[in-house]
Amino acid sequence: MVRFVVLLCSIGVLIQAFGAVGLDFQCEAPFESHLGLSNLYAKVTEPTLAPFHLRDLPGFTRSVYKRDHAVISPESQVFSALPGWAMTLGAYLISPAMGSDFSMYIANMKENATSGLPLDGIERFVFVVKGEIILSTSYEGTFTLHVDWFAYLPPNFKHFLSCTSSATIVVFERRYYKLQDKAPDFIVGATDKQPVVEAPGEVFVLRKLLPASIEYDFNVHVMDFKPGEYLNVKEVHYNQHGLLLLEGHGIYRLGDNWYPVQAGDAIWMGPFVPQWFGALGQTTSRYLLYKDVNRDPFVSYI
């Protein structure tokens, strides 16, 4: 009982902290009724706690980096040129430098921007947050990807991304670990076209953007939580996560720390860090989640 009271008090303090720095807890339209797909994830690219809103709080940031986890909030993202890309600025939110076995970055593509190729043996996953991009491939044709669309590009798959206006995308990259003679396929899809996957014991809505078959050594999930919903399982596992909160806000437990998070925040979760999420406010919370799968834990050390 004492622990429960302490938890409620802690959450109350965090909610007060949200209010102190300007987070809006007023009633808003539900997630499903946003006006216009192009503005679906506007709070990722124009967050409430953008640097402009923090001009009266010099030195303030919610970003945290620890041995087994990190929270990277928008006010501390640093954008610079991406190798091989043109008319594009990128911010690495997760990279092997922090202890991960993958990278995650945001790429802001300007008018007439083009992408570079990943390094040899690196697979790539792209998710459109704002605008639209054109994906051109050597053998599969050309595709237009709108907001909430995604593409998986297998290692050494010739392609390039471009845009005629401007766009913001989230990119995951990882060195592919081949298993037997199976190879992953090139995939293009839209989030709302993916079936809802049952998650026994949980209340969130889960969509997996990649097949669960053995060829794929990671997956990307889209998870929706209604206000007040939370993870039932307090997870501790060897898999790593990379997360971008696309909509809403809540509390994320990482280790013994409780972090207020909102749309635009990125999180790295290392192996075996205790983790839990609870959604707050009046709107549905949605996040994009990377997870390595289908490989023996030793594979990262071979």
Side-chain angles (χ1 to χ4, degrees), residues 7-288:
L7 174 59
L8 288 178
C9 291
S10 300
I11 292 177
V13 170
L14 289 170
I15 292 174
Q16 290 178 357
F18 263 136
V21 293
L23 246 156
D24 186 5
F25 276 84
Q26 297 178 0
C27 183
E28 304 174 46
F31 181 84
E32 293 80 4
S33 64
H34 280 286
L35 297 177
L37 187 62
S38 62
N39 294 320
L40 185 61
Y41 302 131
K43 290 184 179 179
V44 174
T45 54
E46 299 176 10
T48 304
L49 295 185
F52 174 78
H53 297 97
L54 299 174
R55 62 191 183 281
D56 295 327
L57 292 172
F60 173 82
T61 181
R62 292 180 297 113
S63 293
V64 174
Y65 168 66
K66 294 182 179 292
R67 177 188 62 81
D68 54 6
H69 70 271
V71 177
I72 309 298
S73 50
E75 74 275 356
S76 55
Q77 295 173 3
V78 178
F79 287 82
S80 59
L82 291 172
W85 296 58
M87 304 295 292
T88 303
L89 295 177
Y92 278 92
L93 308 176
I94 300 173
S95 83
M98 65 174 31
S100 71
D101 59 3
F102 67 99
S103 68
M104 170 185 171
Y105 58 94
I106 291 178
N108 287 334
M109 303 179 71
K110 300 179 181 179
E111 183 178 355
N112 298 322
T114 57
S115 70
L117 284 172
L119 297 176
D120 186 61
I122 301 297
E123 55 191 331
R124 171 182 281 176
F125 181 93
V126 174
F127 184 91
V128 181
V129 172
K130 180 180 180 181
E132 64 179 39
I133 62 173
I134 299 171
L135 168 61
S136 301
T137 70
S138 297
Y139 303 106
E140 301 290 344
T142 300
F143 305 83
T144 300
L145 276 59
H146 306 278
V147 172
D148 226 23
W149 281 62
F150 61 89
Y152 169 77
L153 297 315
N156 305 323
F157 182 82
K158 300 299 182 183
H159 69 278
F160 72 90
L161 310 171
S162 61
C163 63
T164 57
S165 180
S166 63
T168 298
I169 60 176
V170 182
V171 183
F172 295 100
E173 292 179 347
R174 167 188 167 96
R175 182 165 297 282
Y176 182 67
Y177 293 98
K178 189 174 182 179
L179 199 63
Q180 301 173 355
D181 292 327
K182 298 179 180 295
D185 294 323
F186 162 70
I187 294 174
V188 169
T191 299
D192 62 358
K193 301 299 183 183
Q194 308 311 305
V196 173
V197 179
E198 183 179 359
E202 298 288 2
V203 296
F204 57 78
V205 176
L206 169 64
R207 290 178 174 85
K208 296 185 178 183
L209 305 188
L210 295 180
S213 54
I214 201 72
E215 304 96 284
Y216 299 87
D217 61 357
F218 75 86
N219 211 314
V220 177
H221 300 174
V222 172
M223 301 169 67
D224 295 335
F225 295 79
K226 293 180 180 178
E229 293 183 341
Y230 53 85
L231 288 170
N232 180 50
V233 177
K234 283 64 70 177
E235 297 184 355
V236 178
H237 50 63
Y238 79 88
N239 315 79
Q240 297 195 39
H241 285 317
L243 180 153
L244 179 67
L245 196 60
L246 296 170
E247 188 65 35
H249 43 260
I251 300 294
Y252 227 106
R253 177 189 175 177
L254 299 168
D256 293 327
N257 303 277
W258 301 76
Y259 299 103
V261 293
Q262 68 161 13
D265 289 348
I267 300 175
W268 169 61
M269 291 169 256
F272 295 104
V273 61
Q275 55 199 255
W276 176 90
F277 175 72
L280 300 177
Q282 300 293 325
T283 63
T284 297
S285 293
R286 165 174 282 194
Y287 58 67
L288 187 71

